[in-house]
Amino acid sequence: RTPLLDPEAKGMVFGLGLSHTRADLYRALLEAVGYSIRHNIEALAEEGCRAQRILAVGGGTRNTAWMQMVSDIAGITQVIPEQQIGASYGDAFLAGVGVGLFSGTPEIRRWVRPRGTLRPDAGAHAVYDGYYRIYRELYSRNAGTMHALDALARGSTAPT
């Protein structure tokens, strides 16, 4: 998945201790989505595309705590629109632009109205920074092991 572009990459749970609970694991999964979004935003920035805000869609936007985590981790404002359909809604609008129903993409503001806005908390963002560095390091330190696991799972010999 982007931005790693490594189909053999695997997920992992790292840092578990005996005191961790199911709730801790659930929170870790939610935070992992935030780290992934931050990684993608940084990859876009490296290509010269700097996001000022993101538009969040889908069922997950009903979980305000999760959406706040994403904003805190990524250090970016999220706009939660009233319409939650997502990609197909945008596709239909772009098709409308293509066939002349709309004058251009700025006209989408008439159709996409914000339900709410979440801004990152600077203190939480500072705490997440340390964890994010570890998150980024885990892939580079474990890519070879992930590839070996993938080869074993496909029934071939693990690379040396």
Side-chain angles (χ1 to χ4, degrees):
R1 299 206 40 175
T2 58
L4 294 176
L5 305 175
D6 180 357
E8 296 174 354
K10 306 287 181 233
M12 67 171 53
V13 177
F14 178 79
L16 269 180
L18 294 175
S19 65
H20 286 101
T21 65
R22 289 180 180 180
D24 295 322
L25 282 169
Y26 179 68
R27 182 179 179 100
L29 292 171
L30 296 179
E31 289 172 337
V33 172
Y35 294 134
S36 178
I37 290 170
R38 179 173 173 176
H39 191 181
N40 276 284
I41 290 169
E42 288 178 356
L44 286 168
E46 289 169 9
E47 297 298 322
C49 181
R50 301 206 185 283
Q52 302 301 311
R53 63 181 171 79
I54 57 177
L55 189 70
V57 295
T61 61
R62 285 179 252 154
N63 185 336
T64 306
W66 184 18
M67 295 298 97
Q68 186 62 55
M69 276 182 217
V70 171
S71 285
D72 293 344
I73 290 167
I76 195 163
T77 297
Q78 285 189 97
V79 176
I80 313 295
E82 289 175 355
Q83 180 55 260
Q84 289 298 300
I85 295 173
S88 59
Y89 194 71
D91 293 344
F93 182 80
L94 290 174
V97 171
V99 298
L101 288 173
F102 304 109
S103 61
T105 55
E107 201 171 334
I108 199 165
R109 285 185 176 89
R110 288 186 13 212
W111 298 91
V112 177
R113 295 180 190 95
R115 181 183 78 210
T117 301
L118 296 168
R119 290 177 178 75
D121 175 88
H125 181 69
V127 170
Y128 278 122
D129 269 347
Y131 291 105
Y132 179 69
R133 284 191 288 279
I134 292 169
Y135 166 85
R136 290 293 304 271
E137 192 175 316
L138 284 170
Y139 171 76
S140 60
R141 288 186 179 246
N142 292 284
T145 305
M146 291 175 188
H147 297 166
L149 179 62
D150 188 72
L152 286 171
R154 286 185 282 115
S156 63
T157 307
T160 56

